[in-house]
Amino acid sequence: EVQLVQSGAEVKEPGDSLKISCKGSGYIFTSYWIGWVRQMPGKGLEWMGIIYPDDSDTRYSPSFQGQVTISVDKSISTAYLQWSSLKASDTAMYYCVRHHGGVINNWFDPWGQGTLVTVSS
Amino acid sequence: DIQMTQSPSSLSASVGDRVTITCRASQSINSYLNWYQQKPGKAPELLVYGATSLQSGVPSRFSGDGSGTHFTLTISSLQPEDSATYYCQHSSTTPITFGQGTRLDIK
């Protein structure tokens, strides 16, 4: 079974750093782009960016460029999303997704279960 | 960025009804359009990809249509378990964007 399993919920203070993870299993991890999607409380879905695990080629949405870093450790089939200095506005659910297809002409399946990040003083 | 606009934003329908949700793109996206279903407290799930292809395991009462800038998701006979929020998403270029969502309630 193809699965993406994400790390657990986090509660952080403004200014903290954070790295959340997404581990793939049941498929060849290096053959599919992995993406990240944000969902703020009560809101819709926002695509943040993608990484190709085989060569770490990374693309960011302009809305998130410079705000987060996407990385991967292909030796353990795990992708990461990290912040160097969290803000209250980063409070959201974050999903990792497997991209079927390329940078364009793709669809997301499966989705990870989500990691809730809460940033509050 | 390509803007995706869904209509309606919410609707309420009865079991057995035929329901159609519309998604419009701000420019042509060919058939690079996908639909997802999200139930409360759960991650979204893929329903339709490439505008018309039904994902494996998705009930046949769901169907997608359209190309260019106008797309539809139709549920032919609404079931209680279809209560959810539905999102369209284009993959014509980056950044990938989603519609704002359509909340579907069962009367």
Side-chain angles (χ1 to χ4, degrees):
Chain A
E1 179 192 6
V2 176
Q3 278 192 97
L4 296 175
V5 178
Q6 298 184 227
S7 50
E10 302 275 1
V11 179
K12 294 289 187 179
E13 294 186 352
D16 285 351
S17 62
L18 176 64
K19 191 174 190 177
I20 62 175
S21 67
C22 169
K23 183 174 177 61
S25 63
Y27 71 101
I28 300 173
F29 185 73
T30 50
S31 296
Y32 293 83
W33 293 82
I34 290 281
W36 290 93
V37 175
R38 182 175 80 174
Q39 187 167 38
M40 299 177 76
K43 302 299 184 182
L45 305 170
E46 301 172 272
W47 181 79
M48 302 176 72
I50 51 173
I51 189 164
Y52 194 67
D54 195 42
D55 61 6
S56 296
D57 185 6
T58 309
R59 318 287 175 93
Y60 293 94
S61 165
S63 298
F64 292 94
Q65 179 86 47
Q67 308 304 307
V68 297
T69 301
I70 296 171
S71 61
V72 68
D73 184 341
K74 64 182 179 181
S75 71
I76 55 171
S77 301
T78 300
Y80 302 96
L81 179 66
Q82 69 181 90
W83 296 259
S84 59
S85 181
L86 286 161
K87 303 184 285 287
S89 57
D90 293 317
T91 295
M93 182 71 81
Y94 293 88
Y95 295 102
C96 64
V97 295
R98 186 180 73 160
H99 275 229
H100 274 266
V103 177
I104 63 171
N105 189 16
N106 55 62
W107 52 94
F108 304 160
D109 180 69
W111 294 58
Q113 84 276 18
T115 296
L116 181 62
V117 174
T118 303
V119 184
S120 174
S121 54
Chain B
D1 300 3
I2 296 175
Q3 307 303 315
M4 307 301 293
T5 304
Q6 291 180 230
S7 60
S9 295
S10 64
L11 75 153
S12 182
S14 300
V15 172
D17 283 354
R18 182 181 182 87
V19 170
T20 297
I21 298 169
T22 297
C23 177
R24 293 186 183 273
S26 59
Q27 64 189 71
S28 176
I29 57 171
N30 297 302
S31 295
Y32 300 152
L33 189 284
N34 309 312
W35 290 96
Y36 300 88
Q37 177 193 65
Q38 186 178 32
K39 296 183 178 180
K42 300 292 188 181
E45 294 184 349
L46 178 68
L47 293 176
V48 172
Y49 62 94
T52 60
S53 297
L54 199 65
Q55 171 69 347
S56 175
V58 174
S60 59
R61 62 180 180 274
F62 290 92
S63 64
D65 199 7
S67 66
T69 62
H70 183 239
F71 302 86
T72 58
L73 175 71
T74 298
I75 308 173
S76 60
S77 180
L78 193 65
Q79 299 301 303
E81 61 267 30
D82 299 335
S83 177
T85 300
Y86 294 84
Y87 293 94
C88 63
Q89 169 242 323
H90 87 83
S91 64
S92 174
T93 185
T94 58
I96 290 167
T97 54
F98 293 85
Q100 80 278 15
T102 294
R103 177 174 171 169
L104 173 58
D105 293 324
I106 309 298
K107 287 180 183 174

